[in-house]
C-alpha cells in the first residue's frame, strides 16, 4: 500500500490538486468502462470526448484487472505523446485509427483518469466533439483545418481548426479576431475552390459540414470599403477612380443613380425606398445580416436583400456623387424576368416586387405554418382583426412588415341573400383611384362641302363613354351644321382607316388618331341599296416611274387627304363625277386656261367618252379588303406619299383625253392599292356592285402645273382649339374617400357566396383598420380599358405634413396619441410624359439634414417644399409622426440644434412672416 501511495503521489505532481480519494481498482473499472459516465455511454451530439493513447490505456486495463494495487503494472501519468506529430504545435498525427492508436472516453471518464493518474507535463488534452452527420453520430477526431487570409493579403495565411458542426459565423469571428478587424467594419467570406474559382459564403448560420468546407481550403475575408463598395466587386482598372471617390466627402444619401438605359423607373423607386429612415438605418447598422433568410422557397436566397444593402451602403457612405446600380439590375432581372432587358417599366411595379422580395429574403419565419383564414362570423371586429394580424405575423415577420404593412377591413354583401362576409387583410401600399372626369376632349378636322373653305381644326368636349353621334352633335354646336349631314372617318396614311357608324362607341378612337368629319348632303348614305345620294370615298394618287432596272413599269403613290363626296345617284356618270370632283378640288386645283388646251382632234372633245373609264389593270385584285385593313398613318398635315402598286405602262390604260381633263378616275379597293372594275354602266349612268372607292390619278406634269400642294395642306383653327378643358385639382383625401367607397364587383371577378352556393356580383367596401409606420400611396394615374389606355394628369393636392387619417381609420382610436394617425411626406416618385414614353424622377427628404432634394438619375439638386407638388406625382411615401420623433436623435446640451425632421415645420426664424 505504501508503494501505491507513492506512485499516486508522484502521478499527482503534474496535475490539479486531488479533489477526491482514489477509488479501488474494481470501482475504477466500473466507472471508466461500464457506467453511464464510461465508455459505454451513447454518443450525443455536441458532447466532448477525449483521445487516450492506446498503449497507456491497455496498461491501465491490465493494472486494474489484476486487482493488485502493489503490482508493477501501474500505468503512470497519461501520456499521449505518440498521438502528436510534434510537441510544439501539438498537431495530431494523420491516419490515427481508433482501437489501434487510441481509445475514446467521454468527458466524465477522462476527468476521472486525469484526477487519479494525472496528465504528462505540458501535454494538452485531445478534446473532440460528437457531431451529428447524416444518419450517424460520431466523434470528430480530425477537425477541418482552414487557411484564413485577407482579401488585401492573400499570401499570408493563418491556419485554424473548426468542427464540422461549427458555424461559418465562427470562422468569420475567428478571422476578424486574428486580423484585428474593428467592430465598425463590415466583412464577408469567400472560399477558393479546387478549380481556382471563388464562391461567397453567404449564409454564416450554416455549419462547416453544410458549407462543404474541406481541410486545406482557403477562406478569404473581405472588408467593405469606406465608400460602401466591396473590393472584389470593382475591376482593377477603376481602382484609381475609387480612390478619388473615397476622397470625396458629401452629404450621405445625396447620391445619384446612373441610368443604364430606360432604368429611370428603377432609380426612382430605389431613391424613394432609400429615404425611408428606419429601413435605411436597418441596413446601415447591419441588422439585416442576422435576419437574411437563405432557405425561404418564396425568397431569393438573400440575394436581393444583399444587393439592396450594397446600394444603400454606397449611397449613404458620403463618398459618391452617383453610383451604377448594374449588379442590382442584374439581380432583379434574374429573379423577375419581366424586368430583363432595357424596356421602360412602371416604378410602382418595381417597388411592389422589391418590397415583396426584401420581405421574403428577410423573413424571420424560417418555416411557414399553414394558417386557415377565418371569416368574422358575427364576432367583434377587434377580435377578428387581432386574429388576422397574428395569423399574418405567424407566416410573415420582417422589417418590411414592421415598416410598411397595415390592415384592411373588407366587407362583402350578397345582393341576393344579404349575407355579409367580413375579413381583415394585410396590405403593403394603398392604390387609390383618382376622380375621373366623365368628359373627354377630342381634336377633329371638319371638311365642308364648300370647296372654298379650308378644313377646320376643332377641339370638342364629348362624353367619355359616348358614341360617334355625340361627336357630331358637339361639332354641330361650333359649325351650325346638322349632325345628320356629317360622316366621321379615321384617316391613316392618305387612306380611310375606318369610316364610323353613328352608333359606334367613342372609346374605339384613340387620342393619337387623325379624325376627319366630312359634310355630306342631307340625303347621303354609303351603300348600293340606298336610293339616296351615294357617298364616294375619294383617294388622290400620282403616277410615278417605278425604280426598277428598266423603268418599264409605273407606280402609283397616294398623297394628300382623302375626301368623302356626295354624288346624286340618279345622275352618276363618269363625266358628271369628274366635274363634281373638279369643283370639290377647286380651292387648290387650277382649271386649265384656253392657252393650255391642246390642238387635238375636235372629235375627242365632243366625244362623250372623252372621260376615261376605269378599266382592268393587270395583276390587280378585285377583292375589297375593307377600310379597317389599311396601313399606318403618316399624320394629318403633309407626310410622305404612300406607295400603292405597280401597274402596266401607259399603253395598257384606256386612251386619255388630251384637252381639259387634268386627271383620270379609277375604281380601287379600300386601301387604294389595287384597281378593280366592280361597276356597271348603261344609259341610266354608273352603278356599283359593292362599296365604291374612287382614285383620282394624276400625271406628274399635270399635278405639278395645276395642283397647289401648299394650299391643299392648309387648314384653319377654330376658336375652340385655344380653349383648354381645365381639370380642377383634387385633394388626396378625395382619392382616399373613393378608395373606401362601396363598389359592385365586376363580372370578371365575382364572389362566391357560401349561403347562396353560387358566384355573385356582391358589393364590396374596404376600410382602413390599422396603418403602418410608413404609408405608401400609389395614385392610379394609368387607366386601361379594352379600347383605350390613358394617363390621368390631374393635379392631386397632397400635404407635405400633417396628413390626418383619423377620419378614415375605423379601429377605435387612442385619442391621447393623435400622432398615431398623422403623417409627414418623405418621398415622391414622379412620372412625366405619356403611356408610350415617359421619365421617372424622385423628390426625397434626407433623414439627416431634413433637406428636400430632386433625384433625376445621376443628377441631384436641392429643392424647396413648394416645388414638390405637381401633376407628375405618382407614388407618395408618408411617415407616421410618432416614428419620426422616435428616430430623431436627441441632442445633448453641448450639441448644436438638430435639423428638422422631414415634414416637420421649420424653425420660426426661417418662416415668412405675413
Amino acid at each position: 500500500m505504501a508503494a501505491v501511495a507513492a506512485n499516486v503521489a508522484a502521478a499527482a505532481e503534474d496535475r490539479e490538486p486531488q479533489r477526491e480519494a482514489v477509488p479501488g481498482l474494481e470501482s475504477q473499472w466500473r466507472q471508466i468502462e461500464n457506467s453511464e459516465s464510461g465508455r459505454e455511454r451513447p454518443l450525443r451530439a455536441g458532447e466532448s470526448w477525449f483521445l487516450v493513447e492506446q498503449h497507456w490505456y491497455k496498461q491501465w486495463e491490465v493494472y486494474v484487472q489484476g486487482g493488485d494495487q502493489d503490482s508493477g503494472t501501474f500505468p503512470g501519468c497519461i501520456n499521449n505523446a505518440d498521438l502528436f506529430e510534434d510537441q510544439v504545435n501539438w498537431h495530431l498525427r494523420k491516419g490515427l485509427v481508433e482501437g489501434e492508436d487510441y481509445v475514446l472516453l467521454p468527458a466524465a471518464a477522462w476527468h476521472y483518469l486525469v484526477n487519479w493518474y494525472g496528465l504528462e507535463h505540458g501535454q494538452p488534452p485531445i478534446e473532440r466533439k460528437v457531431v451529428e452527420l447524416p444518419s450517424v453520430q460520431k466523434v470528430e477526431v480530425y477537425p477541418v483545418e482552414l487557411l484564413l487570409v485577407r482579401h488585401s493579403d492573400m499570401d499570408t495565411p493563418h491556419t485554424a481548426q473548426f468542427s464540422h458542426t461549427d458555424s461559418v459565423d465562427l470562422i468569420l469571428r475567428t478571422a476578424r479576431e486574428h486580423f484585428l478587424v474593428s467592430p465598425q467594419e463590415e466583412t464577408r467570406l469567400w472560399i477558393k475552390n479546387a478549380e481556382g474559382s471563388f464562391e461567397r459564403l453567404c449564409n454564416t448560420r450554416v455549419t462547416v459540414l453544410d458549407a462543404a468546407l474541406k481541410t486545406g481550403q482557403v477562406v478569404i475575408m473581405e472588408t467593405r470599403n469606406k465608400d460602401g463598395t466591396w473590393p472584389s466587386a470593382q475591376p482593377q482598372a477603376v481602382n484609381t477612380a475609387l480612390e478619388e471617390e473615397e476622397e470625396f466627402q458629401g452629404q450621405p444619401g445625396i447620391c445619384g443613380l446612373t441610368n443604364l438605359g430606360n432604368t429611370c423607373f428603377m432609380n426612382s423607386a430605389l431613391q424613394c425606398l432609400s429615404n425611408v429612415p428606419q429601413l435605411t438605418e436597418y441596413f446601415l447598422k447591419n441588422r439585416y445580416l442576422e435576419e437574411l433568410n437563405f432557405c425561404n422557397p418564396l425568397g431569393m436566397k438573400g440575394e436581393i436583400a444583399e444587393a439592396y444593402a450594397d446600394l444603400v451602403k454606397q449611397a449613404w457612405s458620403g463618398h459618391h456623387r452617383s453610383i451604377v446600380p448594374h449588379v442590382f439590375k442584374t439581380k432583379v432581372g434574374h429573379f423577375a424576368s419581366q424586368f430583363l432587358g432595357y424596356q421602360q417599366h412602371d416604378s410602382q411595379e418595381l417597388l411592389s416586387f422589391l418590397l415583396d422580395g426584401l420581405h421574403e429574403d428577410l423573413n424571420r419565419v424560417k418555416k411557414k405554418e399553414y394558417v386557415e383564414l377565418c371569416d368574422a362570423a358575427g364576432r367583434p371586429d377587434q377580435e377578428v382583426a387581432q386574429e388576422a394580424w397574428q395569423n399574418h405575423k405567424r407566416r410573415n415577420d420582417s422589417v418590411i412588415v414592421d415598416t410598411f404593412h397595415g390592415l384592411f377591413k373588407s366587407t362583402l354583401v350578397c345582393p341576393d341573400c344579404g349575407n355579409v362576409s367580413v375579413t381583415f387583410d394585410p396590405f403593403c401600399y394603398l392604390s387609390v383611384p383618382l376622380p375621373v372626369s366623365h368628359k373627354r376632349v377630342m381634336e377633329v378636322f371638319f371638311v365642308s362641302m364648300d370647296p372654298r373653305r379650308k378644313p377646320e381644326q376643332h377641339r370638342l368636349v364629348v362624353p367619355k363613354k359616348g358614341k360617334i353621334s355625340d361627336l357630331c352633335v358637339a361639332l354641330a354646336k361650333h359649325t351650325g351644321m346638322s349632325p345628320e349631314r356629317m360622316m366621321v372617318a379615321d384617316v391613316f396614311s392618305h387612306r380611310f382607316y375606318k369610316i364610323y357608324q353613328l352608333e359606334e362607341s367613342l372609346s374605339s378612337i384613340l387620342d393619337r388618331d387623325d379624325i376627319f368629319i366630312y359634310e355630306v348632303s342631307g340625303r347621303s348614305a354609303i351603300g348600293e341599296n340606298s336610293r339616296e345620294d351615294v357617298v364616294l370615298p375619294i383617294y388622290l394618287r400620282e403616277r410615278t416611274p417605278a425604280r426598277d432596272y428598266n423603268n418599264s413599269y409605273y407606280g402609283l403613290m397616294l398623297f394628300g387627304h382623302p375626301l368623302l363626296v356626295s354624288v346624286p345617284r340618279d345622275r352618276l356618270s363618269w363625266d358628271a363625277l369628274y366635274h363634281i370632283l373638279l369643283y370639290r378640288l377647286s380651292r387648290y386645283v387650277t382649271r386649265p386656261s384656253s392657252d393650255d388646251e391642246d390642238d387635238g382632234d375636235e372629235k375627242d372633245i365632243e366625244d362623250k367618252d372623252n372621260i376615261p373609264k376605269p378599266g382592268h389593270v393587270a395583276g390587280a385584285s378585285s377583292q375589297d379588303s375593307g377600310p379597317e385593313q389599311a396601313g399606318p398613318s403618316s399624320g394629318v398635315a403633309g407626310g410622305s406619299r404612300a406607295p400603292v402598286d405597280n401597274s402596266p405602262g401607259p399603253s395598257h390604260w384606256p386612251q386619255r383625253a388630251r384637252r381639259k381633263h387634268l386627271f383620270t378616275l379609277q375604281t380601287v379597293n379600300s386601301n387604294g392599292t389595287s384597281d378593280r372594275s366592280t361597276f356597271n354602266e348603261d344609259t341610266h349612268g354608273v352603278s356599283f356592285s359593292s362599296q365604291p372607292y374612287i382614285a383620282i390619278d394624276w400625271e406628274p406634269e399635270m399635278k405639278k402645273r395645276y395642283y397647289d400642294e401648299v394650299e391643299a395642306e392648309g387648314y384653319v383653327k377654330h376658336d375652340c382649339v385655344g380653349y383648354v378643358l381645365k381639370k380642377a385639382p383634387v385633394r388626396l383625401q378625395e382619392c382616399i374617400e373613393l378608395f373606401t367607397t362601396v363598389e359592385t364587383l365586376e363580372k370578371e371577378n365575382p364572389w362566391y357566396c357560401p349561403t347562396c352556393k353560387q358566384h355573385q356580383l356582391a358589393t364590396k367596401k374596404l376600410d382602413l383598420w390599422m396603418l403602418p409606420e410608413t404609408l405608401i400611396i400609389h395614385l392610379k394615374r394609368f387607366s386601361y380599358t379594352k379600347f383605350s389606355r390613358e394617363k390621368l394628369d390631374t393635379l392631386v393636392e397632397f400635404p407635405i405634413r400633417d396628413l390626418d387619417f383619423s377620419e378614415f381609420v375605423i379601429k377605435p382610436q387612442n385619442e391621447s396619441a393623435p400622432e398615431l394617425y398623422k403623417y409627414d411626406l418623405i418621398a415622391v416618385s414622379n412620372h412625366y410624359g405619356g403611356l408610350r414614353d415617359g421619365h421617372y424622377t424622385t423628390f426625397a427628404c434626407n433623414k439627416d439634414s431634413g433637406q428636400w432634394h430632386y433625384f433625376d438619375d445621376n443628377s441631384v439638386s436641392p429643392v424647396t417644399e413648394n416645388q414638390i407638388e405637381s401633376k407628375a406625382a405618382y407614388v407618395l411615401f408618408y411617415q407616421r409622426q410618432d416614428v419620426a420623433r422616435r428616430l430623431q436623435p436627441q441632442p445633448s446640451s453641448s450639441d448644436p440644434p438638430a435639423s428638422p425632421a422631414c415634414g416637420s415645420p421649420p424653425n420660426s426664424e426661417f418662416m415668412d412672416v405675413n
Side-chain angles (χ1 to χ4, degrees):
M1 292 295 292
V4 173
N7 289 336
V8 171
E13 289 181 0
D14 294 323
R15 57 182 170 87
E16 295 180 0
Q18 187 171 340
R19 296 180 181 176
E20 61 183 59
V22 179
L25 298 181
E26 184 177 348
S27 178
Q28 289 185 40
W29 176 262
R30 287 196 306 271
Q31 291 187 56
I32 301 302
E33 285 287 340
N34 300 326
S35 70
E36 171 63 23
S37 62
R39 292 181 64 191
E40 299 300 321
R41 175 183 175 83
L43 296 178
R44 294 184 176 92
E47 288 187 344
S48 293
W49 284 59
F50 292 80
L51 276 70
V52 178
E53 199 271 331
Q54 174 83 3
H55 181 267
W56 185 92
Y57 191 78
K58 288 298 182 183
Q59 185 67 27
W60 174 80
E61 284 185 328
V62 172
Y63 171 64
V64 295
Q65 288 177 350
D68 183 4
Q69 290 186 331
D70 291 331
S71 168
T73 58
F74 181 74
C77 293
I78 301 172
N79 189 348
N80 288 332
D82 290 343
L83 300 182
F84 296 107
E85 284 185 347
D86 60 77
Q87 297 188 9
V88 178
N89 296 315
W90 301 102
H91 287 167
L92 208 61
R93 280 173 46 206
K94 306 296 183 185
L96 296 178
V97 179
E98 182 182 5
E100 295 181 8
D101 301 299
Y102 65 88
V103 295
L104 289 168
L105 296 178
W110 164 260
H111 291 303
Y112 285 145
L113 289 179
V114 173
N115 217 20
W116 299 335
Y117 296 93
L119 180 61
E120 190 69 31
H121 178 72
Q123 286 188 8
I126 308 175
E127 181 181 5
R128 295 295 185 263
K129 295 287 187 180
V130 177
V131 295
E132 187 166 5
L133 302 177
S135 73
V136 66
Q137 291 182 336
K138 63 178 293 186
V139 177
E140 185 182 44
V141 174
Y142 290 102
V144 176
E145 197 170 84
L146 301 174
L147 302 177
L148 307 181
V149 297
R150 300 194 73 165
H151 184 270
S152 57
D153 182 13
M154 303 276 284
D155 299 326
T156 310
H158 167 67
T159 303
Q161 292 184 339
F162 301 93
S163 167
H164 284 89
T165 58
D166 286 337
S167 68
V168 172
D169 183 63
L170 178 61
I171 301 176
L172 180 59
R173 285 187 278 116
T174 302
R176 289 177 64 95
E177 182 179 346
H178 177 77
F179 294 120
L180 304 177
V181 178
S182 67
Q184 293 77 26
E185 293 182 283
E186 187 178 349
T187 54
R188 63 183 185 182
L189 297 179
W190 297 77
I191 57 170
K192 187 176 183 180
N193 293 321
E195 61 272 17
S197 61
F198 295 90
E199 180 183 340
R200 271 281 313 282
L201 286 175
C202 299
N203 190 353
T204 59
R205 293 188 290 274
V206 300
T207 64
V208 171
L209 177 66
D210 293 334
L213 299 180
K214 307 296 182 185
T215 292
Q217 263 189 308
V218 176
V219 178
I220 303 99
M221 185 190 72
E222 182 182 20
T223 305
R224 192 189 288 272
N225 296 323
K226 289 190 301 182
D227 68 350
T229 61
W230 292 102
S232 62
Q234 305 297 334
Q236 295 295 322
V238 298
N239 280 346
T240 303
L242 286 176
E243 291 174 4
E244 293 176 358
E245 281 285 300
E246 286 201 355
E247 292 176 3
F248 169 76
Q249 185 62 54
Q251 171 72 47
I254 309 305
C255 177
L257 294 171
T258 299
N259 192 323
L260 304 175
N262 285 327
T263 57
C264 57
F265 74 96
M266 181 182 77
N267 293 348
S268 178
L270 287 173
Q271 293 287 15
C272 287
L273 211 55
S274 173
N275 282 280
V276 175
Q278 61 270 49
L279 183 64
T280 293
E281 286 295 315
Y282 171 85
F283 283 100
L284 292 179
K285 294 181 178 178
N286 291 334
R287 293 200 292 269
Y288 76 99
L289 293 174
E290 297 298 319
E291 298 183 345
L292 284 169
N293 191 332
F294 298 99
C295 55
N296 185 354
L298 299 179
M300 298 159 200
K301 303 178 182 178
E303 294 184 33
I304 286 293
E306 287 193 320
Y308 179 74
D310 285 349
L311 276 182
V312 169
K313 288 176 179 291
Q314 293 175 48
W316 288 85
S317 69
H319 290 290
H320 296 283
R321 293 178 176 86
S322 67
I323 55 180
V324 182
H326 178 73
V327 174
F328 181 83
K329 169 72 171 63
T330 302
K331 293 290 184 185
V332 168
H334 175 72
F335 290 105
S337 59
Q338 67 268 32
F339 297 115
L340 277 172
Y342 296 94
Q343 300 297 316
Q344 183 66 280
H345 292 281
D346 189 315
S347 68
Q348 190 271 334
E349 291 178 2
L350 187 279
L351 183 67
S352 176
F353 160 78
L354 182 54
L355 288 172
D356 185 63
L358 289 175
H359 160 64
E360 296 297 356
D361 270 3
L362 298 167
N363 200 342
R364 302 171 188 123
V365 179
K366 304 308 180 203
K367 187 176 181 180
K368 294 191 177 186
E369 56 182 303
Y370 172 74
V371 175
E372 185 175 354
L373 299 178
C374 299
D375 193 83
R379 293 179 293 158
D381 283 353
Q382 198 89 5
E383 176 186 338
V384 182
Q386 184 176 1
E387 177 186 82
W389 185 249
Q390 289 174 346
N391 287 340
H392 179 58
K393 293 281 294 223
R394 283 161 63 186
R395 293 174 54 86
N396 304 279
D397 185 14
S398 71
V399 66
I400 302 299
V401 175
D402 299 341
T403 307
F404 299 103
H405 283 206
L407 205 62
F408 285 140
K409 177 186 177 183
S410 175
T411 305
L412 288 162
V413 180
C414 177
D416 286 353
C417 69
N419 176 45
V420 178
S421 171
V422 175
T423 58
F424 288 82
D425 306 303
F427 67 88
C428 191
Y429 51 84
L430 299 181
S431 287
V432 299
L434 273 63
V436 179
S437 170
H438 298 294
K439 299 292 184 180
R440 176 184 178 186
V441 176
M442 299 182 68
E443 289 191 356
V444 302
F445 287 87
F446 172 63
V447 181
S448 170
M449 289 177 64
D450 184 349
R452 296 167 298 179
R453 293 178 59 182
K454 292 182 179 181
E456 292 178 349
Q457 185 183 19
H458 289 255
R459 183 170 288 169
L460 307 176
V461 180
V462 294
K464 185 167 286 187
K465 296 184 178 180
K467 299 178 180 181
I468 297 296
S469 57
D470 294 311
L471 193 63
C472 297
V473 170
L475 181 62
K477 295 177 181 178
H478 292 182
T479 62
M481 190 72 61
S482 170
E484 297 177 355
R485 298 188 60 181
M486 298 179 187
M487 294 190 70
V488 182
D490 183 352
V491 175
F492 234 43
S493 191
H494 315 290
R495 305 172 173 91
F496 288 116
Y497 181 74
K498 182 173 183 178
I499 298 174
Y500 292 95
Q501 301 298 317
L502 292 177
E503 294 304 309
E504 290 189 71
S505 172
L506 286 175
S507 62
S508 61
I509 298 179
L510 305 182
D511 289 338
R512 67 176 184 270
D513 292 342
D514 297 329
I515 302 301
F516 283 69
I517 300 181
Y518 295 87
E519 179 190 2
V520 295
S521 64
R523 54 194 185 94
S524 296
I526 287 186
E528 175 60 25
N529 296 327
S530 172
R531 294 184 178 180
E532 301 172 336
D533 290 358
V534 62
V535 175
L536 297 178
I538 307 297
Y539 293 151
L540 298 172
R541 305 194 302 183
E542 180 180 3
R543 191 179 310 280
T544 58
R547 296 179 179 178
D548 64 358
Y549 63 93
N550 59 5
N551 288 336
S552 61
Y553 282 81
Y554 282 78
L556 289 166
M557 302 286 288
L558 286 170
F559 70 93
H561 301 308
L563 295 171
L564 289 177
V565 177
S566 300
V567 179
R569 185 179 300 278
D570 56 354
R571 293 186 288 112
L572 180 57
S573 67
W574 292 112
D575 185 61
L577 180 59
Y578 173 86
H579 287 94
I580 290 172
L581 295 179
L582 190 61
Y583 172 72
R584 284 297 301 270
L585 302 176
S586 60
R587 181 171 58 85
Y588 44 91
V589 172
T590 306
R591 290 178 179 268
S593 64
S594 58
D595 294 338
D596 294 330
E597 295 181 358
D598 242 0
D599 294 330
D601 190 346
E602 284 296 320
K603 184 180 179 182
D604 289 340
I605 303 175
E606 297 172 359
D607 191 345
K608 67 176 182 179
D609 291 330
N610 60 358
I611 305 298
K613 302 173 184 177
H616 291 285
V617 177
S621 169
S622 63
Q623 297 297 319
D624 185 359
S625 60
E628 296 191 27
Q629 300 179 10
S633 173
S634 63
V636 177
S640 61
R641 296 179 300 177
V644 179
D645 59 4
N646 289 327
S647 304
S651 61
H652 293 266
W653 287 76
Q655 180 64 37
R656 288 166 176 74
R658 291 180 297 167
R659 302 179 64 185
K660 294 185 180 179
H661 299 101
L662 308 181
F663 47 78
T664 60
L665 304 179
Q666 186 70 45
T667 54
V668 294
N669 68 6
S670 59
N671 287 333
T673 57
S674 60
D675 298 333
R676 66 178 189 175
S677 34
T678 54
F679 65 92
N680 298 307
E681 185 176 16
D682 53 27
T683 56
H684 300 290
V686 179
S687 63
F688 297 92
S689 59
S690 62
Q691 170 59 48
Y693 281 75
I694 305 297
I696 297 176
D697 290 343
W698 289 83
E699 294 291 342
E701 184 61 29
M702 298 296 282
K703 177 174 177 287
K704 183 178 180 181
R705 289 175 63 184
Y706 298 108
Y707 186 91
D708 186 341
E709 290 195 47
V710 174
E711 181 64 26
E713 296 294 334
Y715 68 96
V716 295
K717 293 185 178 182
H718 188 270
D719 291 343
C720 65
V721 175
Y723 302 156
V724 177
L725 182 64
K726 292 185 179 180
K727 296 181 179 179
V730 300
R731 296 168 58 245
L732 179 60
Q733 289 86 338
E734 294 177 58
C735 302
I736 299 169
E737 287 174 2
L738 273 178
F739 177 80
T740 57
T741 301
V742 177
E743 63 177 356
T744 301
L745 297 180
E746 297 178 350
K747 293 181 179 180
E748 297 79 11
N749 186 31
W751 169 66
Y752 182 79
C753 176
T755 304
C756 298
K757 305 298 182 183
Q758 61 182 357
H759 288 89
Q760 299 282 9
L761 298 182
T763 59
K764 181 179 181 179
K765 187 178 191 305
L766 290 176
D767 289 295
L768 300 176
W769 180 264
M770 184 178 72
L771 296 178
E773 292 184 352
T774 300
L775 179 62
I776 302 175
I777 302 177
H778 165 224
L779 303 178
K780 297 172 70 174
R781 290 196 177 276
F782 299 108
S783 173
Y784 302 95
T785 66
K786 182 178 180 181
F787 295 104
S788 66
R789 301 169 62 195
E790 64 175 329
K791 179 191 174 185
L792 305 176
D793 61 351
T794 307
L795 175 63
V796 177
E797 297 176 338
F798 50 88
I800 303 297
R801 57 183 64 87
D802 293 330
L803 174 59
D804 193 349
F805 272 88
S806 58
E807 62 178 300
F808 300 108
V809 176
I810 64 171
K811 178 182 179 180
Q813 299 181 17
N814 182 357
E815 296 182 1
S816 63
E819 68 274 9
L820 294 178
Y821 311 100
K822 288 188 176 181
Y823 286 78
D824 296 331
L825 188 72
I826 57 173
V828 180
S829 174
N830 304 301
H831 178 268
Y832 300 92
L835 289 168
R836 284 192 168 83
D837 52 11
H839 183 59
Y840 288 92
T841 64
T842 298
F843 289 115
C845 183
N846 185 274
K847 68 180 181 64
D848 298 331
S849 68
Q851 170 68 50
W852 281 90
H853 287 81
Y854 182 62
F855 297 82
D856 185 357
D857 289 333
N858 61 347
S859 173
V860 185
S861 56
V863 292
T864 59
E865 289 185 359
N866 59 12
Q867 294 176 266
I868 297 170
E869 185 179 274
S870 74
K871 293 181 179 181
Y874 182 44
V875 184
L876 311 175
F877 283 67
Y878 278 94
Q879 186 176 63
R880 211 168 61 205
Q881 289 184 350
D882 66 309
V883 177
R885 295 193 178 99
R886 185 184 76 213
L887 295 173
Q888 192 170 3
Q890 300 297 322
S892 64
S893 58
S894 60
D895 291 335
S899 300
C902 294
S904 301
N907 226 324
S908 59
E909 61 181 296
F910 297 107
M911 297 177 67
D912 291 332
V913 180
N914 294 324

